Amino acid sequence: MGPSNYSFRRATPNDLPMIGRWLHVPEVVRWWGDPAEQIELISEDVELPEMATLIVSYRNRPFAFVQHYDAHQWPQAHFDPLPENTRCLDAFIGVPDMMGCGHGQMFLKTLTRMLFERGAPMIGIDPDPENERAIRCYEAIGFVAGREYETAKGPCLLMTLAP
């Protein structure tokens, strides 16, 4: 399960049916909410050059969705204190048999390393404070939990990773 087995490519409109199926997986619905609403947002994001919307594959099998963007491009109060050029992540694994076996840690470790190599001074992620599986995964690769915030979408825990 080495890092070289993971690949990232930009999502295209052709990926939307697959992403849509992933958004219906109960574990994804639990944290991401209404699949119809989410696929609508993602289909808008796919076309935006300033939002890197990616499909993650393991040994050429697509299994996860991740997007990264500049923390200050889409103003959210909890990202305000982060340094200029910080990248923020949203991610989920959409294939149930790939959940809970370390793939999240591996692909996020690979992606965060790439973002640091491209000059990001910090990486932020903001899981639901009750999403213990995600928080444990992020802590395992070095993210540090900061404070909790109330947002329009509900509570979040700001976590940051420095190189």
Side-chain angles (χ1 to χ4, degrees):
M1 216 163 78
S4 60
N5 291 315
Y6 296 90
S7 57
F8 302 86
R9 65 171 174 77
R10 262 203 109 91
T12 69
N14 294 339
D15 292 310
L16 293 170
M18 175 178 70
I19 296 168
R21 286 193 304 276
W22 291 351
L23 285 163
H24 282 84
V25 171
E27 179 71 6
V28 178
V29 173
R30 182 173 173 200
W31 303 114
W32 280 65
D34 178 21
E37 201 177 295
Q38 290 302 321
I39 199 66
E40 201 170 301
L41 293 170
I42 290 169
S43 48
E44 292 166 17
D45 292 345
V46 151
E47 303 289 358
L48 297 174
E50 63 274 28
M51 170 74 77
T53 300
L54 309 173
I55 298 295
V56 187
S57 295
Y58 174 69
R59 294 187 172 156
N60 300 321
R61 178 189 182 198
F63 77 97
F65 169 91
V66 64
Q67 51 189 19
H68 63 85
Y69 51 93
D70 185 294
H72 304 289
Q73 180 95 39
W74 280 268
Q76 296 177 77
H78 61 284
F79 290 151
D80 287 351
L82 302 179
E84 202 63 32
N85 301 316
T86 292
R87 299 302 286 179
C88 291
L89 303 178
D90 299 314
F92 66 81
I93 291 176
V95 177
D97 70 9
M98 302 286 278
M99 293 177 179
C101 42
H103 289 294
Q105 278 183 44
M106 288 301 291
F107 89 76
L108 287 169
K109 199 180 278 187
T110 304
L111 179 62
T112 54
R113 191 176 306 122
M114 287 165 31
L115 295 173
F116 287 135
E117 283 167 8
R118 292 182 199 161
M122 181 174 275
I123 297 168
I125 199 160
D126 57 352
D128 183 305
E130 291 184 12
N131 190 343
E132 289 171 22
R133 175 190 271 180
I135 292 167
R136 276 198 312 271
C137 168
Y138 307 147
E139 286 176 337
I141 58 174
F143 278 89
V144 176
R147 54 173 282 228
E148 286 185 26
Y149 291 84
E150 259 324 309
T151 74
K153 296 178 193 152
C156 73
L157 174 66
L158 179 62
M159 300 182 75
T160 54
L161 180 68

